[in-house]
Amino acid sequence: MAGNFENHFLDDEIFGIVSAVAREKGMRAFVIGGFVRDCFLGRECKDIDIVVEGSGIELATAVGARVHSRVNVFRNFGTAMLRFRGMEIEFVGARRESYDRNSRKPVVEDGTLQEDQLRRDFTINAMAFSLQTEDFGSLVDPFGGIQDLAAGIIRTPLEPCRTYSDDPLRMLRAIRFATKLSTPELRFTIVPESLKAMGEMKDRMLILSRERIVEELNKILVTPKPSMAFQLLDETGLLEYVLPQLAALKGTETMEGKGHKENFSHTLEVLDNVAAAEIAAIAEGKLNDYDFEDGVETVKVRKSPNLWLRWAALLHDIGKPRSKKFDPQQGWTFHGHEHIGARMVPKIFQEMKMPLNEKMKYVQKLVGLHLRPIALVTEEVTDSAVRRLLFDAGNDIDDLMLLCDADITSKNPNKVARLHNNFVLVRQKLVEVEAKDEIRNFKNPITGEHVMEVYGIPPCREIGIIKDYVKDSILDGVIGNNFEEADALMRRKAEEIGLVPVK
Ligand code: ATP
Ligand code: MG
């Protein structure tokens, strides 16, 4: 098979080097998987997988020596990885696999390229480019991956039930690839036999670790239109295994002729809105990420999606089922769902084995505050309400505003337009108040140490009372955000509660 391709897929020097080293070692090597797929899709791919008939570690070590690059060897997996000019190149020996029903861990033996391709998850992920000198760059595509790619089809090389039963993670991967590869021009679909097999094999999800599930979910969430994946998870019945709290948002109820919003589809709409708005804001360089390094705040312009903002969108209404009530006058209400939701966040993170650190706190904060900006739209926008919002949201105010704006969904386009317009006013007000009062990084001008020093008292309740009084007065605009006014107010309040200054 002579592969005279009129393309430049393997122009990078590294492919020539791997080819030459493999030849010297008498091994056959191929580029396989995601890199090949992404070449044909015209997508950038910096991860290169090389499959070798022979030892992947041996070839990697030899290539590493040639390019003076350190090789990371993973003996347990029989793989090795090296970095070269911004690319990550992973080497693995071609394998033949068989599975034990009770685990994801297959019995692995050395095999040929053909056998290795058979164990790959999808036809579009099983394509390989030869690195042999005689047919360098020719495509080895035993299952018609190239046709499936052109038609936007996700299909397993082997019988789908067997494929998914062997490794149920592949069900989530199918959904992820369908979602990630879809574009406005070409929507990827999972073939019906495969979808049916997922429904039948859904119990196999139970053998997967939470970490693996979350890894897929995270990759799904940062795609430009993640709703598609959640619809597929729902249709196949996998959602219950992935995130049952989300499945609980499904459905509507009618009482006395009154219905309510379908909260699952609403959530998905908000998630897509957030993704679109964030992508647009990133393109305009409008979003910042704040971090603390050695106690100093650093600000960086956001360049890629914030996964945790997507989680916040996904979970923003998660408290609705538990807060739902029917009131004959008002109809259905979900009072306090934002607080119930915020309380559910740590539990969900814990169940999913996700980090319980400041990322979780950020999600929790956004869920808990997600109604606040819109309340400003419908009520009067006072400086003091804006200051309180800025104080509570801190540096996350822009993400909160983005989420809240994305949360405006309705079947009535006039209503949506009106709310979005009013939202612009709230944004303006936020900018004005922030410029004037600098609340975003509010630090109480009155510290506990200062109170203790002035009144010669040990740590006690009164200090908290005074500090809160000063803080509230600043946020309510009674005094300015500066030390002089704050100190004067502290002295008045302290006198009122019977404290006498020692100096
Ligand atoms: P991307 O990295 O862009 O998400 P990818 O196709 O490179 O996509 P990886 O998870 O990096 O995906 O896996 C590399 C290749 O390994 C895949 O293209 C596929 O051929 C194979 N593969 C990965 N996971 C599995 C699996 N669970 N079952 C079968 N084959 C798999
Ligand atoms: Mg990859």
Side-chain angles (χ1 to χ4, degrees):
M1 177 167 68
N4 281 326
F5 279 93
E6 294 294 317
N7 62 51
H8 298 279
F9 297 153
L10 303 188
D11 278 3
D12 197 289
E13 190 187 350
I14 189 68
F15 297 110
I17 296 171
V18 176
S19 173
V21 175
R23 187 187 175 86
E24 285 160 29
K25 296 208 141 273
M27 294 172 161
R28 287 178 7 116
F30 302 83
V31 185
I32 194 159
F35 180 86
V36 180
R37 180 196 70 220
D38 289 347
C39 279
F40 289 111
L41 288 172
R43 288 176 176 243
E44 198 192 32
C45 182
K46 296 263 169 212
D47 293 345
I48 301 167
D49 290 300
I50 308 274
V51 65
V52 192
E53 288 180 342
S55 162
I57 295 176
E58 193 184 328
L59 182 62
T61 310
V63 171
R66 186 73 46 97
V67 301
H68 309 292
S69 192
R70 199 166 56 91
V71 179
N72 294 325
V73 175
F74 308 96
R75 286 229 177 256
N76 295 352
F77 298 99
T79 65
M81 191 269 280
L82 60 87
R83 292 202 172 81
F84 183 72
R85 300 194 183 141
M87 292 172 295
E88 258 189 26
I89 308 149
E90 180 139 3
F91 294 79
V92 61
R95 304 165 186 192
R96 171 177 44 219
E97 278 182 0
S98 53
Y99 281 82
D100 174 347
R101 251 194 81 77
N102 294 314
S103 114
R104 271 196 75 222
K105 298 215 173 46
V107 180
V108 183
E109 293 153 302
D110 290 346
T112 61
L113 173 70
Q114 279 72 24
E115 285 165 331
D116 192 281
Q117 285 174 304
L118 262 180
R119 75 177 184 93
R120 302 264 158 184
D121 48 7
F122 308 110
T123 60
I124 60 169
N125 284 350
M127 298 185 283
F129 287 135
S130 168
L131 290 178
Q132 282 42 262
T133 331
E134 52 289 5
D135 62 353
F136 186 86
S138 70
L139 179 70
V140 189
D141 179 21
F143 314 113
I146 199 84
Q147 284 87 0
D148 286 350
L149 201 57
I153 287 173
I154 310 277
R155 184 205 314 272
T156 56
L158 294 175
E159 198 262 313
C161 275
R162 154 106 195 270
T163 304
Y164 295 136
S165 172
D166 281 351
D167 178 4
L169 193 75
R170 293 168 181 160
M171 301 193 268
L172 299 184
R173 288 174 59 90
I175 289 175
R176 160 158 73 92
F177 285 116
T179 306
K180 179 178 146 182
L181 301 181
S182 284
T183 61
E185 292 76 40
L186 179 65
R187 189 183 163 88
F188 272 72
T189 51
I190 301 171
V191 289
E193 316 79 274
S194 216
L195 282 175
K196 185 162 164 273
M198 289 184 187
E200 286 164 17
M201 292 297 130
K202 61 184 183 195
D203 269 353
R204 296 288 290 156
M205 289 290 291
L206 295 170
I207 68 163
L208 290 181
S209 74
R210 283 275 128 192
E211 288 86 346
R212 300 303 308 272
I213 294 179
V214 166
E215 209 180 304
E216 287 302 318
L217 267 187
N218 287 348
K219 287 182 180 171
I220 285 169
L221 280 170
V222 294
T223 61
K225 236 170 165 281
S227 65
M228 179 175 169
F230 291 95
Q231 261 143 11
L232 284 167
L233 286 171
D234 177 38
E235 282 164 30
T236 49
L238 294 174
L239 190 60
E240 286 283 352
Y241 295 80
V242 170
L243 196 54
Q245 293 90 340
L246 197 65
L249 291 179
K250 278 179 61 77
T252 62
E253 245 181 289
T254 308
M255 250 165 87
E256 299 173 14
K258 290 176 182 160
H260 64 77
K261 214 178 233 182
E262 207 285 312
N263 290 311
F264 180 64
S265 54
H266 165 72
T267 292
L268 297 191
E269 203 179 331
V270 174
L271 180 59
D272 281 356
N273 287 347
V274 162
E278 192 191 30
I279 289 167
I282 287 174
E284 293 173 38
K286 272 193 186 160
L287 285 175
N288 286 337
D289 283 317
Y290 302 84
D291 229 322
F292 280 94
E293 277 164 26
D294 304 323
V296 183
E297 192 182 67
T298 59
V299 186
K300 290 198 192 101
V301 177
R302 190 176 300 170
K303 294 254 166 54
S304 54
N306 176 358
L307 169 65
W308 308 103
L309 175 58
R310 307 280 171 105
W311 268 107
L314 189 69
L315 300 181
H316 81 284
D317 273 347
I318 207 76
K320 274 194 169 171
R322 293 195 194 165
S323 69
K324 181 167 147 178
K325 289 208 172 61
F326 184 78
D327 175 289
Q329 257 88 55
Q330 288 180 283
W332 294 99
T333 66
F334 300 94
H335 290 313
H337 74 266
E338 71 278 31
H339 304 305
I340 296 175
R343 280 199 296 274
M344 289 168 72
V345 169
K347 204 167 159 268
I348 292 174
F349 269 55
Q350 194 171 27
E351 277 170 14
M352 307 287 285
K353 302 227 164 67
M354 297 205 290
L356 293 170
N357 56 12
E358 74 286 348
K359 307 296 181 203
M360 185 278 283
K361 296 228 171 74
Y362 161 94
V363 174
Q364 186 174 37
K365 180 170 164 185
L366 259 58
V367 172
L369 292 178
H370 83 270
L371 295 181
R372 288 274 295 280
I374 200 76
L376 289 183
V377 167
T378 39
E379 291 157 20
E380 198 192 348
V381 196
T382 62
D383 278 16
S384 104
V386 171
R387 270 191 226 100
R388 292 230 164 243
L389 179 60
L390 277 166
F391 175 73
D392 289 336
N395 281 332
D396 302 319
I397 185 72
D398 293 332
D399 284 349
L400 176 65
M401 291 298 285
L402 193 147
L403 170 62
C404 193
D405 205 7
D407 194 16
I408 302 172
T409 71
S410 158
K411 290 207 180 74
N412 177 350
N414 291 331
K415 187 173 165 194
V416 172
R418 195 178 65 242
L419 286 170
H420 277 304
N421 278 337
N422 293 350
F423 216 76
V424 174
L425 300 178
V426 178
R427 279 182 190 273
Q428 274 168 10
K429 193 84 187 168
L430 277 169
V431 173
E432 279 167 35
V433 171
E434 178 59 21
K436 191 157 55 92
D437 300 341
E438 294 183 22
I439 298 292
R440 189 188 274 232
N441 284 313
F442 179 86
K443 290 214 180 48
N444 200 329
I446 300 302
T447 62
E449 288 74 37
H450 179 62
V451 184
M452 291 193 278
E453 210 181 295
V454 174
Y455 298 99
I457 51 174
C460 59
R461 240 183 89 235
E462 282 72 13
I463 298 171
I465 295 174
I466 291 172
K467 281 181 63 186
D468 279 351
Y469 185 71
V470 170
K471 179 194 87 187
D472 287 338
S473 302
I474 292 173
L475 294 178
D476 289 339
V478 179
I479 61 166
N481 186 10
N482 60 67
F483 179 77
E484 288 70 32
E485 288 180 69
D487 185 64
L489 187 75
M490 169 193 83
R491 287 171 195 272
R492 263 181 277 146
K493 183 70 186 173
E495 196 181 333
E496 197 185 301
I497 56 179
L499 291 177
V500 183
V502 290
K503 57 175 194 185

